[in-house]
Amino acid sequence: MSINKTKKILFQDDFMEFPIGEFPYDPDHSATGEYHFIKEKGYAGSWVNQVCNYSYNGSGASWIITEHEGRHYMEQMRIEKNKPHRTFPTLQTGDRFWRDYDASVSMRRISTKGCAGLAFCMQNSINTLVFLLENNQVKVVYRHKENVSTLAEASFPHDCDSFYGLSVSVHGEQVSCFIDGQKVLSLTTPLAAKGGKIGITADCPTQFTDVLVQTDSDTFAAIEASRQADAKETAELQKCFPKMKLWKKIDLKNFGTSRQVRFGHLTGTDEWFIVLAQAQKRVHRDAYAHISCLTAIDLDGNILWQKGEPSENSAVLGKISADMPFQVYDINGDGKDEVIWGENFEIQILEGATGKVLKSAKTPLSDDDDKSLIGVPYNLYAFDRINPDGIRIANFSGSTHPSDILIKDRYCRVYALNSDLEVMWKYRSPKNTGHFPLAIDVNGDGHDELLCGYTLLDHNGRTIWTLPIEVDHTDEIVAGKFVTGSDKGYFACVSGTQGFFICDFQGNIVSHDYIGHAQRVSVGNYCPEKEGFQIIVSNFWGHQGILYFYDSKGNPIWEMENELNGNILAPVNWKGDGSDLILLNADVKRGGLIDGSGRQAVAFPDDGHPTMCCEAIDLCGDARDELVVWDYHNLYIYTQEDGPIENCYAPVKYPIYNASNYRGEYSYPDISYLTFCENPAE
């Protein structure tokens, strides 16, 4: 490690402080990180790993710390490159204020079947310049979203036995690259002037050690001044918003759960109740999870009723990366919320106040050829009857009060049930149905249509149109008149490897951004100083936890990475003035509520609150949202320190009776933004 004594050290690491073993990772990495804040255990130093994949489960860590002759090496061990799309295992460090620096690393390619090198000027893990070795060449590439473009390259024969000292010198737009002190590449690019973090990266087994980042004393001082100025601006912003005040703290005893929680008025009064579902896995991962215990409590934690047997074994019962089939809704119109749930291959309607069964019916028989079903493990449906994967309240019947129930299996079939729990129609999709199809009245005839994955169905389950997309599935959908300057309705969709897209109600894709595995989406008035709405999207799988911010037409505005998972992206009516904030997660430092510039506008207090799950919902009745955070043991509710207040802004938001971990959310000024009269077949 060559230290220039005339320069200031921004960062250095020889990995000697790391114990021999695995770099911290989630050994059971799953989709829970899409909407839960999961913390890896163990010492990570100043490094962060934002690259994950479902194919990693059971195959060990991507990064391990090894030793040879008294030196430590950080080794990248992952060779899988293409699931669900091309990924580049990367450890990153530093911050966005770094700029004009010299970065270096010593690297040995113990496999040359891929690429390995030094990432620099990183905006996030998939928006970065990389100085790398690949195929007996040296290159500088730019990785952004799904694209990798080569900016400079030269021949450089190398082997698997030697260590090579890679170094990059960045000054404004000028980049000079060296190997063992000899310049091998130089280029000019405005991407370098942005500065940013550094990282070590490889998609084949590679050893790294002796990482060093230096800059001159003037730049060092300027970087620190930028940090302080940013902290001051954030502090000034936070003064414009009421702080959080702890309102309720509930001991969940032995019935705690993950993000399987519903809210409702179970007794027909204004009093709120919470229904929590514990679940067990069956057969294969989360393909057939079922509710093992359902508990209804008031906001003081008193149990109203309980179905099933609770368990404190959160390791088994909590980590369900899917929806559970239950909703809280006044399905019979008597002014009191019922609980509709799937239990032991039945759909039951429970009296909200007592849990008494009011109606029940067996779930439909699985009478299709198993090999024709999408997403079925082992090409064999495990049960004779449908194991519901989710429930949505809909209005296919055209009633004045929505009273139909949509159930679905994991990824292929949906069933529309009437208020007597009779099957009205069934749809077996030739494409993946996605997690939570959206029911909405597109043509204004009083009957809901259904966007089921990539296909729009009429209220009888017949196909109107299907998008020209054949792979992956839709995770979340937002509908509305959210496009500035248009009175038409649109769907904003996030669909895994198909990224983020906007389509109209006639099935025309009008905007498409391939950002990797797109996961969550919401629409709100996040920039009140600008006209119209904005859209925020996150990704997962591959390069996870990156937030993408767009205008209402899908044009990119900014992207950022808080280096955390479980970002909820719910629009939050915190101030009550017509503006919305964005809920990330409950982490004190990098979670909380951000505004449309990406700054933390409201922080969670450092009071030991749980951080695994969070939700935004108006519980105090002044139209502003409270924030609910919980884990398997405790639930906290925060409200505004200046509340409650009267006559504040009350937006139209996503209905709580159709709660889901896969719901796209919105915040509109009034119902007109969800009132349509369009011909979807045009």
Side-chain angles (χ1 to χ4, degrees):
M1 186 181 302
S2 177
I3 297 176
N4 187 331
K5 294 183 179 180
T6 66
K7 292 195 173 186
K8 291 274 198 176
I9 295 175
L10 283 171
F11 177 81
Q12 66 181 118
D13 200 344
D14 58 8
F15 304 113
M16 292 302 293
E17 292 185 359
F18 282 81
I20 300 303
E22 297 176 327
F23 187 87
Y25 75 109
D26 181 359
D28 186 29
H29 190 82
S30 70
T32 46
E34 296 168 353
Y35 41 81
H36 297 77
F37 177 33
I38 306 297
K39 295 182 180 180
E40 291 85 6
K41 297 179 180 179
Y43 178 72
S46 299
W47 297 91
V48 177
N49 181 11
Q50 286 297 105
V51 182
C52 63
N53 214 318
Y54 56 75
S55 64
Y56 292 1
N57 281 359
S59 59
S62 296
W63 297 87
I64 62 173
I65 300 91
T66 60
E67 180 272 341
H68 181 65
E69 296 183 346
R71 301 183 71 188
H72 281 193
Y73 301 93
M74 186 68 73
E75 293 190 12
Q76 200 294 115
M77 287 288 103
R78 189 71 56 194
I79 61 176
E80 170 59 63
K81 301 177 174 65
N82 299 306
K83 290 184 178 181
H85 47 79
R86 190 177 182 188
T87 56
F88 301 96
T90 304
L91 289 186
Q92 59 196 56
T93 190
D95 61 40
R96 59 190 175 89
F97 302 105
W98 283 10
R99 60 180 177 83
D100 292 342
Y101 51 67
D102 300 327
S104 62
V105 65
S106 181
M107 183 184 82
R108 177 189 174 195
R109 304 193 64 199
I110 51 180
S111 168
T112 58
K113 299 173 183 177
C115 65
L118 177 65
F120 62 100
C121 297
M122 294 183 70
Q123 304 302 299
N124 55 61
S125 69
I126 201 62
N127 184 352
T128 183
L129 294 167
V130 185
F131 175 38
L132 58 82
L133 297 179
E134 182 179 30
N135 297 329
N136 281 321
Q137 287 186 306
V138 60
K139 300 179 180 180
V140 173
V141 302
Y142 176 47
R143 298 173 180 169
H144 191 214
K145 299 176 182 176
E146 291 285 82
N147 300 313
V148 179
S149 54
T150 299
L151 305 184
E153 61 184 330
S155 175
F156 187 82
H158 56 280
D159 58 50
C160 65
D161 300 315
S162 304
F163 275 91
Y164 298 91
L166 278 65
S167 59
V168 175
S169 181
V170 180
H171 296 284
E173 296 186 353
Q174 304 300 313
V175 178
S176 299
C177 302
F178 304 82
I179 295 184
D180 296 331
Q182 299 297 312
K183 183 183 288 189
V184 292
L185 289 174
S186 60
L187 65 151
T188 301
T189 171
L191 297 168
K194 295 180 179 179
K197 299 173 284 188
I198 65 102
I200 52 177
T201 180
D203 64 3
C204 55
T206 306
Q207 294 177 326
F208 297 89
T209 192
D210 292 343
V211 180
L212 176 65
V213 186
Q214 304 174 94
T215 190
D216 61 66
S217 57
D218 288 343
T219 303
F220 188 91
I223 290 171
E224 182 57 31
S226 295
R227 283 198 197 99
Q228 293 177 2
D230 181 75
K232 183 178 179 180
E233 289 179 17
T234 299
E236 290 299 315
L237 172 66
Q238 292 179 351
K239 291 179 182 178
C240 300
F241 296 88
K243 294 181 179 180
M244 295 187 199
K245 177 180 69 176
L246 181 61
W247 180 46
K248 297 281 187 179
K249 181 178 179 181
I250 301 173
D251 179 359
L252 297 179
K253 302 179 181 65
N254 63 350
F255 52 81
T257 186
S258 56
R259 204 164 182 263
Q260 306 292 347
V261 170
R262 305 290 188 263
F263 300 85
H265 302 286
L266 299 182
T267 60
T269 68
D270 291 336
E271 182 181 3
W272 283 99
F273 292 85
I274 306 175
V275 181
L276 304 94
Q278 290 185 338
Q280 289 179 284
K281 303 183 182 185
R282 281 173 162 166
V283 183
H284 178 79
R285 296 171 61 185
D286 293 343
Y288 304 101
H290 82 108
I291 297 174
S292 57
C293 182
L294 205 63
T295 306
I297 62 173
D298 63 20
L299 295 190
D300 292 316
N302 300 306
I303 296 177
L304 189 64
W305 51 262
Q306 191 171 72
K307 307 281 284 188
E309 182 176 336
S311 173
E312 294 181 348
N313 189 357
S314 59
V316 174
L317 298 178
K319 219 173 183 184
I320 300 293
S321 59
D323 270 340
M324 287 293 97
F326 75 118
Q327 299 291 0
V328 176
Y329 174 66
D330 181 11
I331 192 76
N332 57 17
D334 67 352
K336 302 176 184 179
D337 282 342
E338 286 73 48
V339 176
I340 304 101
W341 73 317
E343 194 266 340
N344 195 28
F345 304 101
E346 289 187 352
I347 301 299
Q348 297 183 347
I349 299 176
L350 308 180
E351 185 176 57
T354 66
K356 174 185 175 182
V357 177
L358 300 178
K359 287 184 181 180
S360 68
K362 297 290 186 182
T363 60
L365 289 167
S366 179
D367 53 5
D368 297 287
D369 180 359
D370 290 348
K371 294 181 181 179
S372 70
L373 302 178
I374 295 171
V376 175
Y378 317 116
N379 292 317
L380 180 69
Y381 196 78
F383 306 111
D384 282 4
R385 291 192 179 275
I386 296 300
N387 185 89
D389 180 67
I391 286 178
R392 175 181 280 282
I393 307 302
N395 189 9
F396 302 120
S397 302
S399 304
T400 56
H401 178 80
S403 57
D404 301 322
I405 299 170
L406 184 79
I407 66 171
K408 60 182 288 289
D409 65 8
R410 184 66 162 159
Y411 287 128
C412 188
R413 295 170 290 188
V414 297
Y415 301 81
L417 313 181
N418 63 20
S419 57
D420 292 319
L421 304 182
E422 300 167 330
V423 176
M424 297 188 295
W425 53 263
K426 166 192 171 184
Y427 174 69
R428 188 183 72 186
S429 178
K431 299 181 181 182
N432 196 302
T433 59
H435 284 283
F436 202 56
L438 177 66
I440 190 164
D441 184 6
V442 167
N443 57 16
D445 67 352
H447 299 77
D448 282 343
E449 282 69 47
L450 185 74
L451 183 56
C452 184
Y454 304 123
T455 302
L456 186 70
L457 307 177
D458 69 12
H459 66 275
N460 291 311
R462 296 174 298 207
T463 298
I464 300 174
W465 51 253
T466 188
L467 296 171
I469 303 174
E470 303 295 330
V471 297
D472 217 317
H473 62 256
T474 295
D475 286 293
E476 295 188 354
I477 309 165
V478 177
K481 298 176 183 177
F482 54 77
V483 175
T484 302
S486 174
D487 196 43
K488 283 173 54 67
Y490 292 87
F491 296 115
C493 304
V494 286
S495 299
T497 57
Q498 299 308 294
F500 161 62
F501 62 87
I502 297 173
C503 69
D504 62 19
F505 284 178
Q506 289 71 42
N508 304 299
I509 297 176
V510 299
S511 176
H512 204 157
D513 194 7
Y514 291 92
I515 61 172
H517 189 101
Q519 189 61 51
R520 303 196 65 86
V521 59
S522 72
V523 175
N525 184 21
Y526 298 132
C527 297
E529 72 282 2
K530 297 180 180 180
E531 182 183 5
F533 302 99
Q534 293 77 41
I535 305 170
I536 188 164
V537 172
S538 69
N539 67 1
F540 199 72
W541 301 121
H543 299 260
Q544 67 171 353
I546 302 167
L547 309 179
Y548 296 92
F549 196 73
Y550 304 86
D551 67 15
S552 65
K553 297 180 180 179
N555 299 308
I557 298 176
W558 53 256
E559 58 188 69
M560 64 171 279
E561 179 182 57
N562 65 351
E563 297 183 335
L564 303 176
N565 54 30
N567 294 307
I568 298 301
L569 305 190
V572 179
N573 179 27
W574 187 254
K575 202 172 181 180
D577 64 351
S579 66
D580 295 302
L581 296 176
I582 302 160
L583 174 61
L584 297 183
N585 54 47
D587 183 69
V588 173
K589 292 184 178 179
R590 292 177 290 175
L593 307 179
I594 62 171
D595 68 358
S597 68
R599 290 186 177 277
Q600 188 189 62
V602 183
F604 278 94
D606 190 4
D607 58 0
H609 64 268
T611 59
M612 185 178 73
C613 303
C614 61
E615 187 69 275
I617 180 173
D618 173 23
L619 296 174
C620 287
D622 68 353
R624 297 188 298 177
D625 290 321
E626 277 63 55
L627 301 175
V628 186
V629 300
W630 71 95
D631 59 16
Y632 304 126
H633 310 291
N634 294 286
L635 182 147
Y636 287 36
I637 303 176
Y638 294 94
T639 189
Q640 298 84 1
E641 66 175 6
D642 66 344
I645 60 176
E646 297 181 356
N647 302 318
C648 65
Y649 172 71
V652 173
K653 301 187 71 176
Y654 186 93
I656 61 170
Y657 59 78
N658 272 326
S660 167
N661 290 322
Y662 299 93
R663 65 182 188 267
E665 297 191 59
Y666 52 80
S667 179
Y668 298 134
D670 56 64
I671 197 63
S672 68
Y673 291 87
L674 289 167
T675 304
F676 313 105
C677 189
E678 296 191 35
N679 183 354
E682 286 183 346

